[in-house]
Amino acid sequence: MRSIRLATATAAALLCAGALSACGPDNSGQDGGKTAAPAPTGATAAPTGGGTAKPTTGASKPATDGADTIPAKAWMDTKSIPMDETYHYAPLAANAKPVSGAVAFKGMELCHTAADKDQEGPLTGVAAKSSVGFGGDRWTAQQTLLVHGDPTHSSGTKQLTNLAKGYLTDALKACAKTAPGATVKVNSAQDAPYFAAVLTIPQQDGSTATLHEYVTTDGGWVSELSVWATTKAGAQPKDAWKGPEDKYVATGMSAPLCEAFPGCDGHQ
């Protein structure tokens, strides 16, 4: 009996050790040359601790059901990011940083939108962000990923994903309420399988952020791509905007995630 208990304890320790993952270095503020370390072959974002989410039905479930890490292959190829032709952004996977607690999507951050207590559950899961670019009046790109798990294992997973996407897109549409003077132009059709918008947002230091925002979701994940530049009031970004059509950006965001995680149904 003693040997059985010892074997069980050893197996549990090995299982816990196997769940650990590493994250690449931060590239925020560096130039857009592809000078970052190669993308790791393993996972790039560590687990966030499996917070508990509360769908509107009142039933609670683990926000990380079926997902423990965000692997390197889940991040979009930088060639699919607008302005990459000019900046040659560093690899996102190599610069990914895990996010704990409720995710603060970049669009919500620039619009000064804070998640309320009821939103924290759907905005919590296995999450990471990766930011690359020059900063300032040159375009910076950030992809933020939030994974709730495999929706084929639980109907609540898809519900959490839809709620999280809704909180983000509603915050973007209402940006002028939280950031007075902001303008919002939604470019995606209401029935499009993605959300795309362009926003100009006055910031508290007197500058203005010009933001191109993309949101996709499918299965048990939400992906946000924010590409923005910050200038003095009335000024324009240093480099003229250049990028593919919104639908191609959205495909570049979604395809790697559908390969990395189960449950994609092609109906975002």
Side-chain angles (χ1 to χ4, degrees):
M1 181 65 69
R2 182 179 179 181
S3 62
I4 294 175
R5 287 197 298 268
L6 179 60
T8 302
T10 302
L14 291 173
L15 180 61
C16 290
L20 297 178
S21 60
C23 179
D26 182 19
N27 190 51
S28 178
Q30 296 184 6
D31 66 29
K34 293 186 181 296
T35 57
T41 57
T44 61
T48 60
T52 299
K54 297 182 178 180
T56 54
T57 59
S60 62
K61 65 174 289 296
T64 56
D65 176 46
D68 295 320
T69 59
I70 295 179
K73 65 180 181 179
W75 298 92
M76 67 186 299
D77 188 329
T78 54
K79 292 183 178 64
S80 299
I81 300 177
M83 297 304 298
D84 180 70
E85 183 179 341
T86 299
Y87 293 147
H88 306 293
Y89 292 117
L92 291 171
N95 294 282
K97 299 172 65 175
V99 175
S100 60
V103 174
F105 287 105
K106 189 65 185 183
M108 297 175 70
E109 178 185 324
L110 290 174
C111 287
H112 314 300
T113 305
D116 60 37
K117 189 173 182 179
D118 292 337
Q119 296 175 340
E120 290 180 357
L123 293 177
T124 301
V126 174
K129 63 181 178 180
S130 181
S131 181
V132 293
F134 288 92
D137 64 352
R138 305 182 79 177
W139 298 97
T140 297
Q142 177 175 299
Q143 186 178 19
T144 303
L145 303 179
L146 170 62
V147 181
H148 289 124
D150 184 352
T152 61
H153 293 166
S154 171
S155 60
T157 300
K158 185 64 174 179
Q159 182 184 15
L160 287 170
T161 301
N162 289 336
L163 285 172
K165 178 189 177 184
Y167 293 151
L168 172 56
T169 55
D170 287 349
L172 294 166
K173 294 174 184 177
C175 189
K177 294 181 179 179
T178 52
T183 64
V184 181
K185 180 185 178 183
V186 177
N187 292 328
S188 53
Q190 188 171 358
D191 59 350
Y194 61 89
F195 175 87
V198 180
L199 299 85
T200 57
I201 313 166
Q203 300 298 297
Q204 295 176 346
D205 62 0
S207 64
T208 298
T210 301
L211 169 67
H212 290 255
E213 180 82 351
Y214 308 87
V215 182
T216 63
T217 182
D218 197 341
W221 51 259
V222 179
S223 173
E224 176 203 43
L225 174 66
S226 301
V227 187
W228 77 97
T230 305
T231 61
K232 295 180 179 180
Q236 296 296 317
K238 181 177 180 64
D239 300 300
W241 178 256
K242 184 187 301 182
E245 292 183 39
D246 295 340
K247 63 181 180 181
Y248 296 120
V249 178
T251 298
M253 297 166 64
S254 299
L257 281 156
C258 280
E259 291 183 7
F261 297 104
C264 285
D265 56 17
H267 303 287
Q268 301 170 354

